[in-house]
Amino acid sequence: MSRNRKSAKTEGTRFETVVRDYLAWALQDERIMRPRLSGSRDVGDIANVCFMGQRVCIECKNTAAKSYKQHMHEAQVEAGNLDAPFYFVVQKVPGIGFRSMRKIGSQMAYTTPEVLDAMRREAPDDLFLHNTGNFTPFTTKGKAPMELVRCDLRSLAVVLNHGLPLGREPES
């Protein structure tokens, strides 16, 4: 069955919801939510995520097309609306579902090298010493290539959680 506008919106909403649930679980913060849409004043798809006391804009994309530059531009604009110095796009990885925490944590997150450098400057030295090995640089294709860095959502959550273990202890 092919995707139409309605099914695409439904899948996008579902992806945003599982990313929100994952981050709320990983960071042990029930305040993390999906904000209402605000048109040109949107503030990202996931709200109340912070790093070192500063806001983080999270934009979610469940698209087959790898429109990295377009998605990053949207995240930058929405971070400006939110007055957030840090922003990431969380992209659904084809072939990896999102019915388990492990699979959700395997989805891709990316941002600019400048944002990652700004986060490094804000954080204690040991946080990035041990937790940024999973951030790898890549360059978009096309007429005006863009330099970005990517990791899986789990690695981003570890950094956002200041290197602490993710989630709650399993119940016995």
Side-chain angles (χ1 to χ4, degrees):
M1 181 167 90
S2 65
R3 208 174 202 186
N4 60 35
R5 183 164 172 73
K6 183 178 179 183
S7 67
K9 287 186 78 157
T10 299
E11 285 301 305
T13 298
R14 196 168 130 222
F15 186 62
E16 291 170 12
T17 300
V18 298
V19 170
R20 182 225 33 219
D21 292 349
Y22 179 82
L23 289 174
W25 167 81
L27 306 177
Q28 299 178 44
D29 190 341
E30 295 301 318
R31 295 171 296 174
I32 295 173
M33 58 177 270
R34 290 182 55 237
R36 290 181 170 218
L37 298 176
S38 303
S40 65
R41 300 296 301 160
D42 274 352
V43 293
D45 294 323
I46 311 296
N48 299 336
V49 176
C50 292
F51 178 74
M52 304 305 294
Q54 298 185 67
R55 294 175 176 166
V56 179
C57 179
I58 306 284
E59 183 66 26
C60 297
K61 294 296 175 186
N62 184 357
T63 61
K66 300 294 184 233
S67 303
Y68 297 114
K69 288 170 49 176
Q70 178 185 343
H71 297 162
M72 186 52 50
H73 177 71
E74 185 177 348
Q76 289 170 322
V77 168
E78 294 182 5
N81 293 343
L82 184 61
D83 197 25
F86 313 122
Y87 48 90
F88 285 83
V89 174
V90 177
Q91 176 83 40
K92 165 80 174 68
V93 176
I96 298 180
F98 44 84
R99 297 200 188 280
S100 72
M101 289 296 182
R102 183 182 57 76
K103 288 183 177 183
I104 297 164
S106 297
Q107 304 304 327
M108 180 175 58
Y110 59 91
T111 191
T112 66
E114 294 79 18
V115 168
L116 189 60
D117 289 343
M119 290 176 78
R120 283 185 173 124
R121 285 191 299 274
E122 291 292 321
D125 291 337
D126 60 340
L127 175 62
F128 277 92
L129 179 68
H130 301 292
N131 296 301
T132 59
N134 293 333
F135 286 85
T136 57
F138 72 105
T139 305
T140 63
K141 296 178 180 173
K143 292 181 182 179
M146 181 180 216
E147 298 292 324
L148 298 170
V149 291
R150 67 179 157 211
C151 65
D152 60 16
L153 182 58
R154 183 189 180 286
S155 297
L156 174 59
V158 168
V159 168
L160 293 173
N161 205 36
H162 310 288
L164 298 173
L166 300 180
R168 293 181 188 86
E169 291 291 321
E171 294 180 18
S172 30

